[in-house]
Amino acid sequence: MATLSDIGLAASINILSALAFFIAFSVLRIQPFNDRVYFPKWYLKGLRNDPLQSAALSKKIVNLDWRSYLSFLNWMPAALKMPEPELIDHAGLDSVVYLRIYRTGIKIFVPIAIAAFSILVPVNWTNRTLEHSNLTYSTIDKLSISNIPIGSNRFWTHLVMAYVFTLWTCYVLKQEYEIVASMRLHFLASEQRRPDQFTVLVRNVPPDPDESVGELVEHFFLVNHPEHYLSSQVVYNANKLSGLVDNKKKRKNWLDYYQLKYARNPSKKPTMKTGLLGLWGKKVDAIEYYTSKIEKLSEEISAERIKMAKDPKFIMPATFVSFKTRWAAAVCAQTQQSRNPTAWLTEWAPEPRDVYWDNLAIPFVSLTIRRLVASVAFFFLTFFFMIPIALVQTLANLEGIEKAAPFLKPLIEVKAVKAFIQGFLPGIALKFFLIFLPSILMLMSRFEGFSSISKLERRSASRFYVFQFVNVFLGSIIAGTAFQQLNNFIHQSADEIPKTVGVSIPMKATFFITYIMVDGWAGVAGEILRLKPLIMYHLKNFFLVKTDKDRKEAMDPGSIEFYTGEPQIQLYFILGLVYAVVSPILLPFIIVFFGLAFLVYRHQIINVYNQEYESAAAFWPDVHRRIIVALIVSQLLLMGLLSTKEAAQSTPLLIALPVMTIFFHMFCKGRYEPAFLRYPLQEAKMKDTLERTREPNLNLKEYLQRAYIHPVFKGGDDSDSDADSEEGELRTTLVPTKRTSRKNTPVPSIKSSGSTGPLLSDVQGTANP
């Protein structure tokens, strides 16, 4: 059976792994050739110069300043120095509030750990229940509630501490919810003008045989919002065009590379092979080959643009509608527009960076079917994943393996082997099985058709959280308990099985300790090392970088992956709250995780990650709700445990705990959640009034003109270069209508309005590049 020394040895392995990662990072980060890997955010902001450009040849590879190696750990205090308001300006509110999740964990679990080790651990340890039982247990299990005899009065201690832990957790959650809600409102009130403050996304525009979508939208809003409507931008199904443009950009990049190569050595024209990966096939002139390919793609792009302009089927029943004031946009986004509640659906438009354009081309009527299909697929994915979880549990229960396969006992009993298997292998195996899961869940979210990246990530995070709860937490407990106590299950009567399960649940603490050390200690330390981005950057830089644009893309730091990070944090909240009363030995390991992760991710947010959108902490209600779920689960689990311990007197008092927690959640939901769902009209009016005072001559229509144009129609690196001369201006080519006018329309014609789309004449002008 596992002893404290075994866990100590396993902890030493993981601590040494984490220290190795930190030392490697501290050395690698000060090397000049790694500067763009570990400080990319400052390059993107234009606040850092490349040391390779000014350094001597010998200093371009290795940092020869010995003094920098003496202070190689100075990144730790530096990561904590930047004050929160400055960090919001530097990285955005989403990043700062993401860090507050870790702070919340520290604030909850440090006082709980102190109370648990002062009161609960002595109460649990001073018993001999497990020693006189026939259960398979470890030394750590003697610190848990499993070591309390059936019917003991000592369970009143656990009952009282459950109330104390619940009250403290609720107090911290209320405090954090209030702070984050205040930060969000202050951020929205103080930030600079953004297009999404004036814009509403309108979905499910009803079809009209006589008018185009653009005409219909303009008429509708001129009638129902006559004093506030400013302009509209119809949504096109430009997915095929986007693919052609992306292909052209890749070819153009290769052409730039070969042209630069030829410029360096004009005596030799570069050649290439046309076969797979350029390894075989016909040998041709590389510049001529890519020039011809680009010309052909340009013709295809022009033809596709003309087809889009002429065919109304490319126009989706959705549009971005902009208003003259924030107040008007808030009224429209937060009200029902017609007597049919399924038509003219309005919601706040995502900020332009946040729009997921591919999904706007999905017909609204198919979204319900898509979400049903995705839900069914997720159910089966979650169900069948129990198989590898059960396999992982076999690694965590060596005593059970020895009973089933006695011939392995000599090898397993070797101290180093046993410590490695119990302290490292189960966590690594579980991480391996989970490695592809977030990508699968993100594909499901994209299939469901959400209109913004933030909603895609929040949906994926929700599913990942459910998956972690069902498979990693419940699955590990159920599968592990069944395997570990297999002999007892077989030989005891049916009415005794629940008691065995109840006693054995706290005994899964050993497995979760190993998982926390692997994922939460070594895993977080591995995050700061950025080993994969480091290797990929140098490989790209050596083999693939052909232009400055390539170098910038190779340096791309990405952003915090909320859909993987936040559900993983929530698993630690579940473990901490469930085992705080049941087996407090987990708490120090969880506290180390939260402290370490807070330090590491603060450094990454300051120096590395570049958030691709800003939702103003819209995800916080999900964070709060999941911690509440973890709290209720811990209370229900404790009720189940005490029922197997014949502590019937405490059951009525425990029932009050989840009821109180649910009422607390309802209070927070009513008091603070509206700040994350709606924009107060008072705030919008104040900001509009202040803006009119400061900028009385602001041309808002010109400001919003290009905001919600599909990137493929804009000039610049993210679009078709053929469209650059059009200055990105889009206007709708109208379908001829039988209606020459509308008596109830305040302005006579859509042709003089702000509805925009690609100009047919401009598109035709690009047909012959």
Side-chain angles (χ1 to χ4, degrees), residues 462-523:
S462 176
R463 289 217 162 114
F464 196 18
Y465 168 76
V466 172
F467 187 94
Q468 293 262 52
F469 176 74
V470 172
N471 277 305
V472 178
F473 179 68
L474 293 181
S476 296
I477 288 177
I478 294 171
T481 300
F483 185 88
Q484 191 171 8
Q485 308 300 341
L486 184 59
N487 183 65
N488 294 327
F489 278 120
I490 294 173
H491 294 94
Q492 67 188 188
S493 61
D495 61 334
E496 294 293 319
I497 291 178
K499 291 184 180 181
T500 301
V501 175
V503 172
S504 301
I505 286 175
M507 297 164 61
K508 290 308 300 172
T510 303
F511 167 74
F512 286 121
I513 286 174
T514 63
Y515 181 77
I516 291 168
M517 288 189 295
V518 171
D519 179 72
W521 294 9

Side-chain angles (χ1 to χ4, degrees), residues 301-549:
I301 288 170
S302 297
E304 183 68 16
R305 289 170 63 85
I306 293 172
K307 184 178 178 182
M308 288 177 61
K310 289 182 176 180
D311 191 346
K313 292 182 180 179
F314 281 94
I315 301 177
M316 304 305 298
T319 183
F320 291 99
V321 178
S322 297
F323 294 85
K324 297 175 182 178
T325 62
R326 296 173 181 84
W327 182 89
V331 170
C332 181
Q334 297 165 181
T335 54
Q336 183 174 316
Q337 301 302 306
S338 71
R339 87 174 45 169
N340 181 0
T342 64
W344 298 102
L345 302 178
T346 57
E347 61 184 86
W348 278 110
E351 67 159 322
R353 295 179 302 167
D354 193 18
V355 177
Y356 191 72
W357 293 97
D358 291 352
N359 281 356
L360 291 181
I362 299 174
F364 186 83
V365 293
S366 70
L367 294 182
T368 302
I369 299 174
R370 283 171 168 261
R371 288 170 189 176
L372 176 61
V373 171
S375 297
V376 173
F378 176 69
F379 171 80
F380 283 104
L381 176 67
T382 304
F383 178 78
F384 285 109
F385 210 87
M386 290 294 293
I387 297 172
I389 292 293
L391 294 176
V392 169
Q393 287 305 315
T394 63
L395 298 175
N397 299 291
L398 299 183
E399 291 79 10
I401 295 177
E402 291 176 359
K403 290 179 181 179
F407 61 90
L408 294 176
K409 187 173 181 178
L411 176 63
I412 292 175
E413 286 300 320
V414 176
K415 190 171 183 179
V417 174
K418 187 175 183 179
F420 175 78
I421 293 176
Q422 285 195 316
F424 206 74
L425 200 56
I428 286 291
L430 188 56
K431 287 284 288 182
F432 175 78
F433 283 120
L434 294 174
I435 195 169
F436 299 109
L437 180 66
S439 299
I440 296 172
L441 296 179
M442 179 57 76
L443 287 175
M444 287 184 178
S445 297
R446 289 172 181 164
F447 175 78
E448 287 183 273
F450 291 99
S451 58
S452 65
I453 300 172
S454 58
K455 288 182 179 179
L456 287 173
E457 293 204 342
R458 288 168 61 188
R459 180 65 164 180
S460 298
S462 176
R463 289 217 162 114
F464 196 18
Y465 168 76
V466 172
F467 187 94
Q468 293 262 52
F469 176 74
V470 172
N471 277 305
V472 178
F473 179 68
L474 293 181
S476 296
I477 288 177
I478 294 171
T481 300
F483 185 88
Q484 191 171 8
Q485 308 300 341
L486 184 59
N487 183 65
N488 294 327
F489 278 120
I490 294 173
H491 294 94
Q492 67 188 188
S493 61
D495 61 334
E496 294 293 319
I497 291 178
K499 291 184 180 181
T500 301
V501 175
V503 172
S504 301
I505 286 175
M507 297 164 61
K508 290 308 300 172
T510 303
F511 167 74
F512 286 121
I513 286 174
T514 63
Y515 181 77
I516 291 168
M517 288 189 295
V518 171
D519 179 72
W521 294 9
V524 169
E527 154 68 27
I528 201 169
L529 181 59
R530 287 176 55 80
L531 187 60
K532 180 181 175 182
L534 177 69
I535 294 173
M536 293 303 297
Y537 172 77
H538 287 300
L539 286 176
K540 289 179 180 179
N541 201 34
F542 187 79
F543 293 106
L544 301 178
V545 168
K546 304 173 287 295
T547 62
D548 290 337
K549 180 186 173 185

Side-chain angles (χ1 to χ4, degrees), residues 571-633:
L571 177 63
Y572 291 95
F573 277 106
I574 292 175
L575 295 176
L577 292 172
V578 165
Y579 281 93
V581 177
V582 172
S583 184
I585 190 64
L586 258 77
L587 294 176
F589 297 90
I590 290 173
I591 291 170
V592 170
F593 160 75
F594 278 114
L596 198 60
F598 176 76
L599 175 66
V600 166
Y601 279 98
R602 207 173 201 275
H603 173 275
Q604 301 295 78
I605 285 170
I606 292 173
N607 298 299
V608 179
Y609 291 129
N610 185 44
Q611 210 63 15
E612 60 180 317
Y613 64 85
E614 178 61 63
S615 71
F619 57 81
W620 187 261
D622 296 334
V623 174
H624 175 88
R625 182 168 53 253
R626 288 165 192 158
I627 299 176
I628 290 291
V629 170
L631 193 57
I632 294 174
V633 168

Side-chain angles (χ1 to χ4, degrees), residues 256-270 287:
D256 292 342
Y257 166 69
Y258 284 114
Q259 286 176 337
L260 287 173
K261 188 176 181 180
Y262 180 61
R264 295 191 189 103
N265 186 11
S267 61
K268 183 179 180 181
K269 295 202 74 173
I287 294 178

